[in-house]
């Protein structure tokens, strides 16, 4: 049932331009929502500052006791922010590391996957993908801002190429797995 509602976003063979209009509408809706959130957060303060104690998006105390409880929870957790940050980075990086380890164990099938995408020199592409994910993950875990930025850039390069060649192109070809590739595109864009 949920999948049936999202299938029109993929477009159809009769009207391939329909998916572009749906995507544009979703992007415009997202931009509008972000603008409203920004204006709500800066209302009355003269800037984009948000305070958790007065509610999410700076609702100016509309949440009342809920906003106060959120503020107390924030104050309690503040001394442990470094641990929470490292845990979040570790969880984020684990998806790339585990996938890379899995592909390294069976490098032949990973090279075959690159070959099936129609890429020239699939061995180089496979080694480049593994290098980006390993190096990017390790650099993110260092905690040094410059190294973390480089790591994020490496992972972003990998995600852009993997999304385009591995999910977007197969999604546009259609078939049984088109909706799954659509979901994978959304997941990769969110990462």
């Amino acid at each position: 049932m949920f999948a049936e509602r999202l299938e029109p976003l993929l477009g159809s063979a009769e009207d391939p331009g329909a998916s572009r209009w749906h995507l544009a509408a979703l992007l415009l809706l997202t931009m509008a929502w972000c603008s409203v959130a920004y204006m709500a957060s800066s209302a009355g303060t003269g800037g984009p500052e948000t305070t958790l104690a007065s509610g999410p998006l700076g609702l100016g105390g509309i949440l009342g006791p809920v906003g106060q409880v959120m503020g107390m929870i924030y104050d309690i957790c503040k001394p442990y922010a470094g641990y929470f940050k490292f845990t979040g980075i570790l969880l984020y990086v684990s998806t790339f590391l585990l996938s890379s380890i899995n592909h390294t164990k069976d490098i032949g099938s990973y090279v075959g996957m690159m070959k099936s995408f129609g890429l020239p020199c699939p061995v180089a592409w496979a080694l480049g993908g593994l290098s980006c994910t390993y190096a990017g993950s390790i650099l993110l875990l260092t905690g040094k801002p410059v190294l973390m930025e480089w790591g994020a850039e490496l992972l972003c390069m990998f995600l852009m190429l993997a999304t385009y060649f591995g999910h977007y192109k197969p999604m546009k070809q259609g078939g049984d797995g088109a909706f799954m590739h659509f979901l994978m595109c959304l997941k990769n864009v969110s990462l």
Side-chain angles (χ1 to χ4, degrees):
M1 184 169 139
F2 175 72
E4 292 169 359
R5 292 182 192 157
L6 292 178
E7 283 176 357
L9 295 176
L10 297 176
S12 64
E14 298 84 26
D15 188 11
S19 64
R20 290 190 188 113
W21 287 108
H22 288 289
L23 183 61
L26 286 173
L27 288 175
L28 285 173
L29 184 62
T30 302
M31 288 175 13
W33 180 252
C34 289
S35 298
V36 168
Y38 178 79
M39 287 186 289
S41 70
S42 60
T45 63
E49 300 87 13
T50 58
T51 54
L52 190 56
S54 65
L57 307 178
L59 294 175
I62 265 181
L63 296 180
V66 175
Q68 291 174 350
V69 170
M70 290 170 64
M72 288 188 306
I73 292 171
Y74 176 77
D75 291 337
I76 291 169
C77 295
K78 200 172 187 177
Y80 307 104
Y83 298 114
F84 292 140
K85 179 181 174 184
F86 182 75
T87 303
I89 292 171
L90 185 63
L91 290 172
Y92 177 74
V93 162
S94 67
T95 59
F96 296 103
L97 282 177
L98 294 174
S99 175
S100 298
I101 290 169
N102 187 34
H103 287 305
T104 303
K105 287 179 184 176
D106 191 12
I107 190 77
S109 68
Y110 192 53
V111 170
M113 186 185 343
M114 298 297 150
K115 207 178 283 187
S116 72
F117 295 154
L119 296 171
C121 197
V123 174
W125 281 97
L127 292 176
L130 289 174
S131 299
C132 280
T133 53
Y134 278 126
S137 299
I138 291 168
L139 288 173
L140 267 177
L141 287 173
T142 62
K144 305 286 184 197
V146 172
L147 297 178
M148 290 178 72
E149 182 179 340
W150 291 349
E153 289 168 358
L154 286 172
L155 292 177
C156 188
M157 283 190 313
F158 169 77
L159 280 172
M160 286 189 298
L161 292 170
T163 302
Y164 180 74
F165 289 111
H167 299 298
Y168 180 76
K169 286 177 74 175
M171 177 185 78
K172 284 300 180 187
Q173 291 172 355
D176 293 336
F179 185 70
M180 187 55 108
H181 284 295
F182 171 71
L183 292 177
M184 292 296 113
C185 283
L186 290 180
K187 176 205 47 120
N188 283 359
V189 168
S190 72
L191 287 174

